[in-house]
Amino acid sequence: MKRIYLNENENEKDFIIERKEKQYKFPKLILIMRSELYRGMFLSVTEDTSNKVTDYSELSNKSFQILEYWIYSNQIKKGIKITKEIINELERGIDYFQLNQTNPNLFDLLIKKFNNQNQN
């Protein structure tokens, strides 16, 4: 992590996830903290600190926005309506990005929010 943090090239501090021809920049340090997949990728013994593009287009825009907000804030944005479809979609995204070990667990937060929305 020190190698990434101290890297003087600002362009190499970010990682790009491409979705449907749109690029989203994520600081590598945030991805390391949230994702087992990226932790392994960035902290491997190689000296490669490039900002390779990952193409991940399986999530809808709404689901990706939920995932993006959570990666940055560790929260689900207020006012977002959680549906069963979003939960199913995000479950695949959580598995892909290996976000299962994070605390709080995004999947648990989604279920809790979904249950709270549907208590009536």
Side-chain angles (χ1 to χ4, degrees):
M1 283 188 12
K2 181 179 177 183
R3 179 183 78 230
I4 293 167
Y5 181 75
L6 295 177
N7 189 333
E8 292 181 17
N9 184 348
E10 289 298 319
N11 291 332
E12 291 186 9
K13 289 185 178 184
D14 291 329
F15 186 78
I16 297 168
I17 296 176
E18 188 170 274
R19 296 192 63 257
K20 301 173 185 171
E21 300 177 9
K22 184 172 180 183
Q23 294 186 342
Y24 298 84
K25 283 186 178 182
F26 289 89
K28 287 181 180 179
L29 292 175
I30 287 177
L31 291 173
I32 287 168
M33 291 186 304
R34 300 274 192 250
S35 168
E36 293 291 324
L37 172 70
Y38 292 112
R39 184 177 302 126
M41 183 187 304
F42 300 141
L43 299 181
S44 67
V45 293
T46 67
E47 289 297 314
D48 182 13
T49 59
S50 67
N51 57 344
K52 297 175 187 170
V53 174
T54 298
D55 184 0
Y56 190 74
S57 300
E58 289 186 32
L59 297 177
S60 67
N61 287 336
K62 186 173 184 176
S63 292
F64 188 80
Q65 288 170 355
I66 291 169
L67 186 67
E68 178 185 29
Y69 188 84
W70 185 83
I71 286 173
Y72 276 102
S73 69
N74 218 24
Q75 299 176 3
I76 297 174
K77 192 173 190 174
K78 292 181 181 181
I80 297 287
K81 175 110 172 102
I82 304 299
T83 64
K84 287 183 182 181
E85 292 79 18
I86 287 175
I87 290 173
N88 291 337
E89 225 176 76
L90 282 171
E91 187 173 22
R92 291 190 303 273
I94 289 167
D95 287 344
Y96 175 80
F97 289 107
Q98 298 176 21
L99 301 169
N100 300 335
Q101 301 303 315
T102 57
N103 191 11
N105 185 298
L106 176 57
F107 189 74
D108 292 343
L109 292 175
L110 290 168
I111 297 296
K112 183 178 179 182
K113 185 166 177 102
F114 177 77
N115 289 337
N116 288 341
Q117 286 176 179
N118 296 300
Q119 280 183 337
N120 300 333

